[in-house]
């Protein structure tokens, strides 16, 4: 008998070429995806900045909006000319873009404060509140979503679904007022408003290298009473804002866990006698968290929007609190700066989320 041996077309190295090529394709796909997502940041920010600029100019020039009716016509015209708001709108627009590129957001009309300094001072407070709210959202939404999936179609599942609807349907300011009424006024367990008590706030602001994030500054100070005071003041606003996102996470985790439990590989594990609890913990839970990562960017935008009402309700002096004050003063230059910063933050967070999602889930790249 004659044995015929067929040589691989590509020579001795051919068997290893296919895995290598596949790895190169995967690496190239990830790199191309991330590059495209990064480049999309710039037109996104440009469109957002342009939209905000146009909307702010629909009411006329900012000085007339803020000071109209309070100053004589001659003084008003002089200030408009000094600020350059009597020039063509396109000239103002290009000058504004040039200032933004240099990090100059302008000067507030109502208080004469540099907007970039104001954004730095009050942005830390909003960042801290958003961080607390995300912790609440994860701590409440993910475990309860997992529990609802495990007990699906039973009465606890129905209760949790109603709870989720209430979380993201209840206005943030109303939830905040209820929390203040129950836990601050009636029970007296927590402070009513503010980021810290007066004494603690003085200690925090007197530090040489203050970050503006009270928890970090309190930890640097090393005073246990100050740390406790800062955390107590953060509980109610964090819960009020965090529940808004927790309801979304609860429904999302529940839906995806139930879908994963019905997939083929879970059915195969179930046929081998794996318990439902182990299936939930080992096979269905982690894949269901991937969609959570993909929607975090949208939830950041939701948190920044909710922070306006939350900060006003609890007198949490962040960007939302300042935004309301500038709106009341009709200081549209300052309002424009705050809104543009929020838009830039949302665009950057969405890019970071896209990177994380692409790293943990290859399907996102294609």
């Amino acid at each position: 008998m004659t044995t015929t041996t067929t040589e691989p077309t590509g020579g001795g190295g051919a068997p290893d070429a296919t895995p290598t090529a596949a790895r190169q394709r995967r690496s190239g796909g990830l790199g191309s995806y991330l590059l495209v997502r990064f480049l999309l940041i710039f037109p996104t920010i440009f469109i957002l900045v342009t939209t905000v600029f146009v909307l702010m100019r629909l009411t006329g020039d900012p000085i007339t909006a803020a000071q109209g009716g309070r100053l004589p016509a001659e003084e008003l015209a002089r200030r408009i000319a000094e600020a350059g708001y009597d020039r063509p709108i396109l000239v103002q627009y290009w000058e504004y873009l040039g200032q933004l590129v240099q990090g100059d957001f302008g000067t507030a009309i109502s208080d004469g404060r540099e907007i970039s300094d104001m954004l730095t001072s009050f942005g830390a407070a909003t960042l801290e509140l958003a961080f607390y709210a995300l912790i609440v959202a994860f701590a409440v939404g993910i475990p309860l979503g997992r529990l609802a999936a495990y007990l699906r179609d039973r009465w606890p599942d129905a209760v949790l679904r109603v709870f989720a609807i209430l979380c993201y349907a209840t206005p943030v300011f109303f939830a905040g007022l209820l929390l203040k009424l129950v836990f601050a006024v009636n029970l007296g367990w927590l402070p009513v408003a503010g980021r810290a008590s007066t004494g603690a706030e003085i200690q925090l602001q007197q530090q040489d290298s203050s970050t503006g994030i009270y928890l970090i500054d309190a930890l640097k100070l090393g005073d246990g009473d100050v740390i406790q005071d800062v955390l107590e003041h953060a509980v109610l606003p964090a819960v009020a804002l965090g529940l808004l996102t927790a309801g979304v996470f609860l429904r999302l985790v529940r839906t995806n866990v139930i879908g994963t439990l019905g997939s083929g590989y879970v059915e195969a594990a179930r046929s081998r006698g794996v318990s439902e609890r182990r299936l939930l913990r080992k096979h269905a839970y982690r894949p269901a968290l991937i969609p959570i990562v993909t929607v975090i960017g949208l939830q950041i935008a939701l948190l920044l929007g909710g922070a306006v009402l939350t900060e006003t309700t609890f007198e949490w002096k962040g960007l939302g609190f300042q935004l309301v004050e500038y709106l009341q003063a009709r200081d549209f230059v300052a309002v424009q700066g705050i809104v543009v910063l929020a838009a830039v933050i949302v665009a950057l967070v969405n890019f970071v989320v896209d990177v994380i999602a692409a790293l943990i889930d290859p399907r996102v790249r294609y």
Side-chain angles (χ1 to χ4, degrees):
M1 179 180 290
T2 303
T3 303
T4 303
T5 303
T6 304
E7 293 291 336
T9 305
D16 295 330
T18 300
T20 302
R23 285 194 297 270
Q24 291 176 347
R25 285 196 299 271
R26 288 195 295 270
S27 176
L30 175 61
S32 301
Y33 173 80
L34 296 182
L35 178 61
V36 170
R37 293 302 302 167
F38 177 75
L39 294 177
L40 284 175
I41 292 177
F42 300 100
T44 301
I45 293 177
F46 174 76
I47 293 172
L48 291 171
V49 167
T50 303
T51 303
V52 172
F53 181 87
V54 172
L55 291 176
M56 290 295 103
R57 290 301 189 275
L58 289 178
T59 57
D61 67 90
I63 293 181
T64 301
Q67 304 292 339
R70 303 177 185 177
L71 297 174
E74 297 79 7
E75 178 66 17
L76 189 64
R78 185 185 65 80
R79 293 193 181 187
I80 292 173
E82 286 181 352
Y85 292 127
D86 57 342
R87 294 174 298 172
I89 190 69
L90 286 179
V91 175
Q92 297 181 43
Y93 174 67
W94 287 116
E95 182 178 339
Y96 178 66
L97 289 181
Q99 291 175 345
L100 285 183
V101 171
Q102 299 173 14
D104 182 7
F105 288 83
T107 304
I109 297 172
S110 57
D111 56 14
R113 186 173 186 179
E114 290 291 331
I115 297 175
S116 55
D117 294 339
M118 182 271 297
L119 294 176
T120 303
S121 302
F122 293 97
T126 299
L127 176 64
E128 185 175 13
L129 178 58
F131 175 73
Y132 292 146
L134 275 178
I135 292 177
V136 172
F138 283 125
V140 174
I142 293 179
L144 292 184
R146 182 179 175 183
L147 179 63
Y150 182 69
L151 301 174
R152 62 187 181 276
D153 299 329
R154 305 178 195 175
W155 70 264
D157 178 30
V159 171
L160 290 173
R161 278 185 287 171
V162 171
F163 172 73
I165 294 173
L166 290 175
C167 282
Y168 59 75
T170 303
V172 177
F173 71 90
F174 182 72
L177 290 174
L178 285 180
L179 290 171
K180 287 174 66 173
L181 182 63
V182 174
F183 296 101
V185 177
N186 291 340
L187 297 176
W189 291 353
L190 295 167
V192 175
R195 298 180 61 195
S197 61
T198 304
E201 199 159 9
I202 291 174
Q203 293 185 61
L204 293 172
Q205 293 177 354
Q206 285 179 344
Q207 290 190 91
D208 295 333
S209 56
S210 175
T211 63
I213 299 176
Y214 278 8
L215 182 58
I216 294 179
D217 292 338
L219 291 172
K220 289 169 57 179
L221 189 63
D223 189 330
D225 292 335
V226 175
I227 295 173
Q228 180 180 346
D229 182 79
V230 168
L231 291 176
E232 286 178 351
H233 280 79
V235 170
L236 292 183
V239 170
L241 185 56
L243 287 179
L244 179 68
T245 304
V248 178
F249 285 174
L250 195 159
R251 294 295 297 266
L252 194 60
V253 170
R254 177 190 178 275
T255 301
N256 284 280
V257 168
I258 291 176
T260 308
L261 285 173
S263 60
Y265 72 92
V266 173
E267 290 293 342
R270 186 180 286 115
S271 66
R272 294 196 301 269
V274 180
S275 66
E276 287 293 323
R277 181 171 297 180
R278 183 176 177 81
L279 285 175
L280 177 65
R281 185 176 67 253
K282 295 294 185 180
H283 298 280
Y285 180 52
R286 291 182 181 177
L289 294 181
I290 294 176
I292 293 291
V293 176
T294 61
V295 301
I296 285 180
L298 297 176
Q299 298 311 309
I300 291 295
L302 186 65
L303 287 176
L304 290 177
V308 175
L309 297 174
T310 306
E311 291 179 2
T312 305
T313 303
F314 291 96
E315 297 181 22
W316 185 282
K317 295 185 179 181
L319 289 179
F321 185 84
Q322 285 299 118
L323 179 62
V324 172
E325 290 198 342
Y326 284 130
L327 282 171
Q328 292 174 344
R330 298 181 64 82
D331 189 340
F332 294 148
V333 174
V335 171
Q336 182 175 265
I338 294 175
V339 174
V340 166
L341 177 65
V344 171
I345 290 174
V346 171
L348 293 176
V349 168
N350 274 283
F351 170 69
V352 174
V353 168
D354 288 339
V355 172
I356 296 173
L359 291 175
I360 65 178
D361 187 4
R363 295 174 298 176
V364 176
R365 309 170 199 170
Y366 303 104

